[in-house]
């Protein structure tokens, strides 16, 4: 029993010693660590965003949490920030959603595709900019309007990007259909007369031409729909290098190409 009491006393003194050292070493102006913008541009991946919350504060909050569980009285100079822990946690989660939305947009676009969405990304940047400059973690009331507005515009841009990518996939599939279209059909089990062979090839070509025209018109329709999205964007907008067609690099050139395409119908 005496040994147990001695051990308990020794451990208690050791914990108190650690706590005393902690109170002397802890940042007495920890609340000033909140005086930084909500977000920051990534130093590792160009253009991306990071949540700009001080990781030392997260460690401090954890330490305070466990000292409180041991019933120690926490110094007042670190409690100012700690008392806002829950509000800051909620805000961090909201800012993280904005960061994820924005980074997903950039991740979904190749370098060339970003040229096409340049104005839209720039518009989103303007919406987000306050969180990179004047909106600080120390602000007592950061309006949910800012978070919701950023996410709304990011979501709208993401939908436009998704539509653009779906259009590219559809054009790729249509182009594959064209490449696989056979212009001659021969039944290896049948012996043809000259007339029968010509008649069968004519019928096959007519069917092939109809299919080719249908696919061509579908591609052209998709290109028109895609162009409508970007036609009013500025002169800095650049279409990505063509993968399937001779697609112009500027909206003006694309408009001329699409609307003068009736003379470029495919022929077999």
């Amino acid at each position: 029993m005496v040994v147990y009491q001695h051990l308990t006393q020794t451990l208690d003194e050791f914990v108190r010693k650690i706590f005393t050292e902690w109170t002397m070493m802890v940042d007495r102006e920890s609340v000033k660590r909140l005086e930084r913008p909500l977000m920051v541009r990534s130093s590792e991946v160009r253009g991306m965003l990071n949540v700009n919350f001080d990781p030392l504060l997260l460690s401090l909050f954890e330490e305070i949490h466990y000292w409180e569980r041991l019933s120690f009285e926490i110094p007042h100079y670190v409690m100012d920030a700690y008392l806002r822990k829950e509000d800051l946690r909620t805000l961090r989660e909201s800012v993280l959603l904005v960061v994820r939305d924005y980074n997903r947009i950039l991740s979904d676009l190749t370098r060339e595709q970003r040229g096409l969405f340049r104005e839209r990304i720039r518009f989103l940047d303007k919406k987000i900019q306050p969180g990179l400059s004047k909106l600080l973690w120390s602000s007592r009331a950061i309006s949910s309007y800012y978070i919701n507005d950023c996410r709304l515009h990011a979501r709208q841009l993401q939908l436009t990007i998704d539509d653009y990518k779906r259009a590219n996939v559809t054009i790729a599939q249509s182009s594959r259909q064209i490449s696989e279209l056979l212009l001659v059909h021969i039944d290896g089990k049948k012996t043809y007369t000259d007339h029968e062979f010509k008649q069968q090839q004519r019928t096959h070509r007519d069917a092939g031409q109809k299919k080719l025209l249908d696919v061509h018109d579908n591609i052209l329709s998709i290109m028109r729909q895609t162009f409508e999205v970007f036609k009013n964007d500025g002169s800095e907008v650049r279409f990505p290098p063509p993968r399937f067609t001779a697609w112009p690099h500027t909206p003006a050139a694309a408009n001329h190409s699409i609307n003068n395409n009736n003379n470029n119908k495919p022929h077999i």
Side-chain angles (χ1 to χ4, degrees):
M1 186 67 177
V2 175
V3 174
Y4 172 76
Q5 291 176 343
H6 177 70
L7 178 59
T8 303
Q9 182 179 357
T10 301
L11 288 174
D12 185 60
E13 290 175 355
F14 176 74
V15 172
R16 289 183 180 279
K17 177 176 178 294
I18 296 297
F19 176 73
T20 301
E21 292 176 352
W22 177 79
T23 58
M24 295 176 64
M25 295 175 58
V26 73
D27 186 358
R28 290 174 175 265
E29 296 184 340
S30 57
V31 71
K32 289 187 176 181
R33 292 184 177 274
L34 295 173
E35 296 176 1
R36 53 166 62 192
L38 300 179
M39 294 172 284
V40 65
R41 292 288 179 184
S42 173
S43 59
E44 298 177 357
V45 184
R46 183 179 179 183
M48 297 290 190
L49 295 177
N50 286 332
V51 177
N52 193 31
F53 194 82
D54 194 325
L56 291 178
L57 276 179
L58 292 177
S59 298
L60 177 63
F61 291 166
E62 287 294 315
E63 291 168 356
I64 293 175
H65 170 73
Y66 287 110
W67 285 127
E68 281 192 326
R69 290 186 62 180
L70 293 172
S71 301
F72 282 95
E73 184 177 351
I74 308 301
H76 66 88
Y77 46 80
V78 294
M79 285 299 291
D80 288 343
Y82 183 71
L83 290 175
R84 296 187 56 199
K85 181 181 68 171
E86 283 305 308
D87 290 339
L88 291 170
R89 180 188 62 79
T90 301
L91 181 57
R92 280 201 316 276
E93 291 175 353
S94 298
V95 173
L96 180 59
L97 292 175
V98 174
V99 168
R100 286 178 175 174
D101 289 346
Y102 185 88
N103 289 348
R104 181 190 171 193
I105 287 171
L106 294 191
S107 298
D108 279 356
L109 297 172
T110 65
R111 183 177 178 181
E112 291 79 10
Q113 289 170 345
R114 290 184 191 183
L116 178 59
F117 289 88
R118 182 173 298 163
E119 282 205 1
R120 295 160 193 271
I121 294 174
R122 187 176 296 165
F123 179 77
L124 181 58
D125 284 341
K126 290 180 181 178
K127 292 292 182 180
I128 288 176
Q129 182 57 35
L132 294 167
S133 53
K134 62 183 181 181
L135 291 180
L136 311 180
W137 294 99
S138 57
S139 303
R140 285 291 175 179
I142 295 178
S143 173
S144 60
Y145 173 80
Y146 168 75
I147 300 294
N148 293 336
D149 192 47
C150 288
R151 297 206 68 201
L152 172 64
H153 286 88
R155 185 159 51 249
Q156 291 173 342
L157 178 51
Q158 186 66 58
L159 289 174
T160 303
I161 292 172
D162 292 343
D163 288 342
Y164 170 78
K165 286 183 170 290
R166 275 193 294 270
N168 273 270
V169 170
T170 303
I171 291 176
Q173 293 171 342
S174 298
S175 299
R176 192 174 299 111
Q177 282 184 282
I178 292 174
S179 70
E180 294 172 353
L181 185 63
L182 298 178
L183 303 182
V184 176
H185 174 71
I186 299 176
D187 186 349
K189 298 180 180 180
K190 181 177 180 180
T191 302
Y192 295 92
T193 65
D194 184 57
H195 175 74
E196 288 174 336
F197 182 77
K198 290 180 179 179
Q199 182 61 40
Q200 180 169 344
Q201 299 315 308
R202 187 178 299 111
T203 301
H204 178 73
R205 283 199 304 272
D206 289 344
Q209 185 172 28
K210 182 181 184 305
K211 183 176 181 180
L212 182 58
L213 287 171
D214 289 343
V215 174
H216 172 268
D217 289 343
N218 184 49
I219 290 175
L220 197 58
S221 174
I222 293 172
M223 292 174 71
R224 284 197 178 102
Q225 292 171 12
T226 302
F227 170 74
E228 286 297 315
V229 175
F230 300 99
K231 70 177 183 179
N232 294 322
D233 289 358
S235 58
E236 292 185 13
V237 169
R238 289 291 181 271
F239 287 103
R243 294 175 57 196
F244 318 110
T245 61
W247 184 251
H249 290 288
T250 65
N255 181 44
H256 181 272
S257 177
I258 290 174
N259 292 320
N260 290 277
N261 208 26
N262 291 329
N263 296 326
N264 296 322
K265 291 285 187 180
H267 299 283
I268 296 180

